[in-house]
């Protein structure tokens, strides 16, 4: 009876072992997928150039407004001085001489650029015509005053030009008025509008400079303290 009891027990254990060995294993969980989302910025070179030109034009407009306001104050002061001299009569010869000088300055302005005549040329033309009208009326004092105003505008234009137009770079565009700028960081001022030109000098951060013209993103400037001139990239300067 003992043998009959043991055999069924071992047979049961063998059955359990075989069943366990043959049962399929539990499948491994699928690998987790990590999704990475990065933002890639694609720059448009042409758009960057357009933005650069618009920023430079905005600088020019701001400076032009400031210059016009300053000229308005100067004109008022000049008119006051002229009114104080009304008791003295300007000679015909003085008026004629000043008118001739203004006309020569006007022709020089028109011939000094291959681009459209500068804004100052239209102003000088208007003053010269007004001077001639007053001269015909025998108002020699008024003619002299207007001719001197025309010469002042022409002299201001020559002064702000700051460069020999024979050295003008292809595509160089003059600002309507000189622009006061400052350097935002230490940077190189080069002999031409590009990194391939030799470094003329280095400007310290916060240096005061005057801008006269530009080519693409390069600005022709002169250092206010030393008078040295060259070209600086627009990203290195800002309005004070």
């Amino acid at each position: 009876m003992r043998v009959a009891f043991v055999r069924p027990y071992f047979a049961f254990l063998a059955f359990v072992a075989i069943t366990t060995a043959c049962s399929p294993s539990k499948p491994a969980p699928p690998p987790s997928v990590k999704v990475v989302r990065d933002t890639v910025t694609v720059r448009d070179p042409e758009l960057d150039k357009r933005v650069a030109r618009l920023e430079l034009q905005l600088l020019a407009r701001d400076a032009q407004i400031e210059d016009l306001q300053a000229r308005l104050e100067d004109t008022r002061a000049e008119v006051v001085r002229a009114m104080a001299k009304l008791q003295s009569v300007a000679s015909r010869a003085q008026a004629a001489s000043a008118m001739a000088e203004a006309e020569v300055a006007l022709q020089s302005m028109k011939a000094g650029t291959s681009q459209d005549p500068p804004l100052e040329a239209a102003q000088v033309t208007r003053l010269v015509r007004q001077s001639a009208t007053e001269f015909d009326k025998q108002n020699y004092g008024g003619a002299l005053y207007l001719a001197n105003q025309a010469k002042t505008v022409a002299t201001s234009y020559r002064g702000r030009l700051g460069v020999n137009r024979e050295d003008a770079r292809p595509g160089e565009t003059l600002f309507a008025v000189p622009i006061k700028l400052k350097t935002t960081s230490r940077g190189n001022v080069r002999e031409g509008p590009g990194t391939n030109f030799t470094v003329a000098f280095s400007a310290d951060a916060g240096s005061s400079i005057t801008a006269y013209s530009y080519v693409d993103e390069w600005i022709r400037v002169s250092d206010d303290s030393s008078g040295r001139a060259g070209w600086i990239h627009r990203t290195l300067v800002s309005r004070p």
Side-chain angles (χ1 to χ4, degrees), residues 122-142:
Q123 188 176 2
V124 173
T125 299
R126 184 170 60 256
L127 289 169
V128 168
R129 290 176 179 173
Q130 292 173 348
S131 178
T133 299
E134 296 302 317
F135 188 87
D136 292 340
K137 296 178 181 179
Q138 297 185 355
N139 179 9
Y140 303 128

Side-chain angles (χ1 to χ4, degrees), residues 10 54 73-74 99 109 147 156 169 193-194 199 203 208 210:
F10 281 105
L54 290 174
E73 296 299 325
D74 293 340
M99 290 169 59
M109 291 174 66
S156 174
R169 303 288 181 176
V199 175
S208 178
T210 301

Side-chain angles (χ1 to χ4, degrees), residues 85-91 94 140-141:
K85 299 176 182 178
L86 287 179
Q87 294 180 353
S88 62
V89 179
S91 68
Q94 286 178 315
Y140 303 128

